[in-house]
């Protein structure tokens, strides 16, 4: 069982940056695939990025949606049970509620994740 708590959202001007954090409870955080999604008003929840363990190895692979590749960076600190989303060059289309999600294994770009945070609002002003 994991509990996820996002933070770091807020109001930012177009062209600016934000870093979101997602703190997880649980002793097996390092084995989980962690992902970020967002949902804008009237739209479906959208996959942004994920970090997944490479099989039995100790390193991770990162995956990105085309819409954010090159602007957003996902990273994790297993010692702190935290996953981050660094967001650069933000524009008004990035305005949404951002969610952290966890999956016990494998990778999914759908919403087929086992655990979700409560979300954090990001608003980009033009």
């Amino acid at each position: 069982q994991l509990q996820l708590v996002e933070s770091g959202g807020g109001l930012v001007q177009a062209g600016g940056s934000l870093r979101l954090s997602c703190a997880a409870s649980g002793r097996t955080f390092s084995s989980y695939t962690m992902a970020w999604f967002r949902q804008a008003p009237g739209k479906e929840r959208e996959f942004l990025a994920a970090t997944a363990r490479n099989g039995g190895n100790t390193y991770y692979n990162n995956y990105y949606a085309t819409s954010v590749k090159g602007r957003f960076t996902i990273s994790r600190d297993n010692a702190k049970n935290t996953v981050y989303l660094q967001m650069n060059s933000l524009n008004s289309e990035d305005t949404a509620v951002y969610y952290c999600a966890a999956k016990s294994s494998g990778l999914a770009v759908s919403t087929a994740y086992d655990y979700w945070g409560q979300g954090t609002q990001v608003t980009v002003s033009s």
Side-chain angles (χ1 to χ4, degrees):
Q1 184 98 6
L2 281 186
Q3 291 186 328
L4 307 175
V5 179
E6 301 99 334
S7 61
L11 176 64
V12 62
Q13 288 189 336
S17 299
L18 276 178
R19 189 177 80 156
L20 305 182
S21 299
C22 173
S25 64
R27 294 176 293 177
T28 59
F29 173 79
S30 63
S31 67
Y32 279 82
T33 293
M34 301 300 297
W36 287 96
F37 288 76
R38 69 185 177 190
Q39 189 165 20
K43 294 188 177 181
E44 294 186 350
R45 194 164 294 190
E46 174 190 14
F47 169 83
L48 300 176
T51 174
R53 197 164 199 169
N54 187 297
N57 296 312
T58 58
Y59 62 90
Y60 296 82
N61 294 323
N62 295 337
Y63 305 87
Y64 297 93
T66 303
S67 60
V68 302
K69 195 169 186 178
R71 294 192 303 127
F72 290 10
T73 302
I74 190 170
S75 62
R76 67 192 297 159
D77 185 339
N78 290 335
K80 295 182 178 180
N81 279 16
T82 301
V83 62
Y84 304 96
L85 186 68
Q86 176 68 43
M87 305 186 295
N88 299 327
S89 302
L90 289 164
N91 58 65
S92 58
E93 293 184 350
D94 296 315
T95 295
V97 177
Y98 284 69
Y99 297 91
C100 172
K103 185 172 168 59
S104 57
S105 64
L107 172 71
V109 298
S110 68
T111 56
Y113 280 73
D114 302 313
Y115 305 101
W116 292 86
Q118 82 289 350
T120 185
Q121 176 70 45
V122 171
T123 302
V124 183
S125 64
S126 56

